[in-house]
């Protein structure tokens, strides 16, 4: 029997104008599909002209300038539709979807769909619900006492996964997929009896516990930051009265 971490997986990643899922925009995205561990990944990429300036800090991260996006990017509305349908296709094919820090990428996609298509991500996934594997949540739960940060770059170093072009959506998606396979193998005795659907449910619980722990740490250190416990998608903010 093929274990989930050796079988078909897909991965999704975005690059954006910033880290505010409610206000920032997607400037590039990628969906990667790999039918078996070690197989050649199939990559679909999108480049988007967000219609708003890209802040210098974001350009320093991913290198996508206003000029480049205006010359080569597409308008957001049709692209968001294509991305949502691509994710729905993976869900319909019963491929688990790897998303590093899923509440960011999936939520910002949801907000872009609402902004440009007047539709939620859930609408596109109504017939095939998400089954997400988030390597950040998995690693943090399975190796919770390890010191250090848990960015994708850190996880690639920890699990000996090559990452040549960090902050390129396709490269990050491939790396996150390989990290997830590596996590499964390293903790096989704890993971092999769990299906991806069971892991999806468990990760929501694990992420909430991780969020509570981080929130408590912020409170002790006097950091006025709020940690959202929702996973893999943050609920829509209520409209202002």
């Amino acid at each position: 029997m093929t274990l989930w971490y050796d079988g078909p997986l897909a991965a999704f990643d975005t690059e954006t104008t910033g880290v505010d899922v409610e206000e920032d925009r997607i400037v590039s995205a990628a969906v990667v599909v790999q039918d078996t561990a070690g197989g050649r990944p199939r990559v679909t990429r999108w480049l988007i002209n967000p219609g708003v300036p890209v802040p210098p800090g974001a350009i320093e991260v991913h290198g996508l300038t206003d000029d480049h996006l205006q010359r080569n990017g597409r308008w957001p509305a049709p692209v968001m539709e294509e991305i949502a349908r691509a994710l729905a296709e993976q869900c319909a094919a019963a491929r688990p979807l790897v998303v590093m820090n899923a509440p960011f990428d999936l939520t910002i996609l949801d907000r872009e769909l609402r902004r440009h298509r007047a539709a939620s991500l859930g609408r596109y996934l109504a017939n095939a619900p998400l089954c997400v594997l988030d390597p950040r949540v998995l690693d943090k739960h399975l190796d919770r006492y390890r010191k250090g940060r848990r960015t994708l770059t850190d996880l690639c170093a920890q699990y000996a996964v090559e990452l040549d072009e960090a902050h390129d959506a396709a490269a990050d998606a491939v790396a996150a997929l390989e990290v997830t396979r590596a996590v499964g193998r390293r903790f096989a005795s704890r993971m092999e009896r769990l299906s991806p659907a069971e892991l999806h449910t468990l990760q929501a619980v694990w992420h909430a516990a991780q969020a509570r722990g981080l929130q408590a740490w912020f409170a002790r250190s006097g950091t006025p930051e709020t940690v959202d416990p929702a996973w893999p998608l943050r609920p829509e903010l209520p409209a202002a009265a």
Side-chain angles (χ1 to χ4, degrees):
M1 181 181 69
T2 301
L3 299 171
W4 66 261
Y5 45 81
D6 288 325
L9 293 178
F12 172 61
D13 191 75
T14 67
E15 296 300 329
T16 65
T17 61
V19 296
D20 183 343
V21 295
E22 304 298 338
E23 299 296 335
D24 280 308
R25 310 298 175 90
I26 298 173
V27 295
S28 71
V31 170
V32 172
V33 180
Q34 189 181 46
D35 293 324
T36 186
R40 175 175 293 182
R42 302 190 298 277
V43 180
T44 304
R45 308 168 189 262
W46 294 269
L47 191 67
I48 303 108
N49 177 359
V52 300
V54 182
I59 295 173
E60 288 180 11
V61 172
H62 51 58
L64 298 172
T65 64
D66 290 325
D67 181 68
H68 180 74
L69 294 171
Q70 289 165 9
R71 289 175 180 270
N72 302 287
R74 296 168 57 200
W75 288 112
V79 175
M80 299 310 154
E81 173 91 6
E82 290 174 16
I83 295 172
R85 290 187 179 279
L87 297 188
E89 180 181 342
Q90 300 312 313
C91 293
R95 289 191 191 93
L97 184 66
V98 172
V99 190
M100 173 73 184
N101 191 19
F104 179 81
D105 290 85
L106 294 180
T107 302
I108 200 167
L109 174 60
D110 175 80
R111 302 315 191 250
E112 287 277 55
L113 287 166
R114 294 173 188 271
R115 182 178 294 121
H116 296 291
R117 305 299 302 183
S120 68
L121 178 58
R123 175 178 166 185
Y124 289 89
L125 303 174
N127 297 321
L130 279 168
C131 179
V132 175
L133 298 172
D134 187 334
R136 185 173 183 270
V137 175
L138 292 171
D139 173 75
K140 196 169 184 179
H141 176 79
L142 294 163
D143 198 1
R144 67 183 67 185
Y145 299 113
R146 190 179 78 246
K147 302 294 185 182
R149 303 192 315 161
R150 311 217 185 203
T151 67
L152 180 58
T153 300
D154 298 319
L155 294 185
C156 285
Q158 178 68 23
Y159 290 94
V161 169
E162 187 174 345
L163 178 57
D164 288 332
E165 299 179 59
H167 301 297
D168 170 84
D172 285 357
V174 170
L177 188 152
E178 293 298 342
V179 166
T180 300
R181 292 194 189 279
V183 170
R185 294 188 196 102
R186 183 171 297 184
F187 298 97
S189 63
R190 299 164 64 183
M191 302 280 273
E192 62 186 2
R193 293 181 179 84
L194 295 169
S195 69
E198 290 170 325
L199 278 171
H200 179 97
T201 300
L202 287 169
Q203 285 169 102
V205 177
W206 297 343
H207 179 271
Q210 292 163 10
R212 289 193 298 271
L214 183 57
Q215 190 70 73
W217 186 86
F218 282 152
R220 290 193 300 272
S221 62
T223 303
E225 188 170 339
T226 301
V227 184
D228 196 322
W231 184 95
L233 181 67
R234 297 176 189 168
E236 184 183 16
L237 292 176

